Amino acid sequence: MRHRRDDVVDRALAVLDVHGLPDLTMRRLGNELGVQPSAIYHHFADKQTLLAAVADTILARGGRPLPEGSWEERARASCHTLRDACLAWTDGAEVVATVRAFGLGARAPYDELVGVLTEGGLDPELAGTASRTLLHFVLGHALDEQTHRQAGSAGAIASDPTSTDHTSDFETGLDLVLAGLAVRATR
């Protein structure tokens, strides 16, 4: 059976969600699709290119339109959307952060934040730095949450993996970053 590019990405997402990033190999993905791993290279030059497509799909599926409102409200909504999209998939934050760090994809959240901040009157250079800072906070926080949940689920730490302690911490941290940016923007 011949698979389309979207079929490969969908199956990669399923493997990611069930087994995690360390077990998302070309060999396992080929087995899941019922093809030789080399057949995947028809659609993707290498695993990094596949992961870029996976990251972009995670972001697209988790995307939501931004609400009307101030730049602070819109930036907050964008950060929540990114966090929720990453947390919806096992190791989603790691995939998105890695792809972004390698410059292979996952640009949508950055582009969206830069647009929100420049439309809000921030200098474009400051908007770029602020967007990267917000992304580092959101992705780092989501990665920490996922790692904590997985360690709790595996019994590696004595913690309730469904605990929502991280949610209030996320809100407070986001408040701090946005408040600092608002002060800087008024200078």
Side-chain angles (χ1 to χ4, degrees), residues 43-164:
H43 299 289
F44 299 98
D46 51 35
K47 184 176 178 184
Q48 290 74 23
T49 307
L50 169 66
L51 290 177
V54 168
D56 287 337
T57 301
I58 286 171
L59 295 171
R61 289 185 182 176
R64 294 188 298 259
L66 291 178
E68 296 296 321
S70 68
W71 69 262
E72 292 99 336
E73 293 166 329
R74 292 169 57 82
R76 178 179 302 283
S78 180
C79 290
H80 275 278
T81 297
L82 172 59
R83 176 177 174 257
D84 293 347
C86 289
L87 293 178
W89 301 91
T90 302
D91 295 334
E94 185 175 358
V95 171
V96 171
T98 300
V99 166
R100 179 165 163 59
F102 288 176
L104 298 173
R107 284 197 51 90
Y110 173 79
D111 293 342
E112 181 175 80
L113 281 167
V114 167
V116 164
L117 298 176
T118 55
E119 288 168 13
L122 273 71
D123 173 78
E125 187 174 329
L126 178 59
T129 301
S131 296
R132 285 186 295 278
T133 300
L134 285 165
L135 289 177
H136 291 155
F137 171 71
V138 174
L139 292 172
H141 200 284
L143 180 61
D144 180 69
E145 285 182 75
Q146 286 186 319
T147 302
H148 187 84
R149 283 185 195 169
Q150 290 168 5
S153 293
I157 60 173
S159 175
D160 176 8
T162 61
S163 169
T164 57

Side-chain angles (χ1 to χ4, degrees), residues 10-20 23-24 28-29 32:
D10 286 343
R11 189 57 59 99
L13 278 165
V15 170
L16 176 71
D17 210 30
V18 171
H19 301 287
D23 290 331
L24 176 55
R28 171 168 267 174
L29 187 54
E32 292 275 333

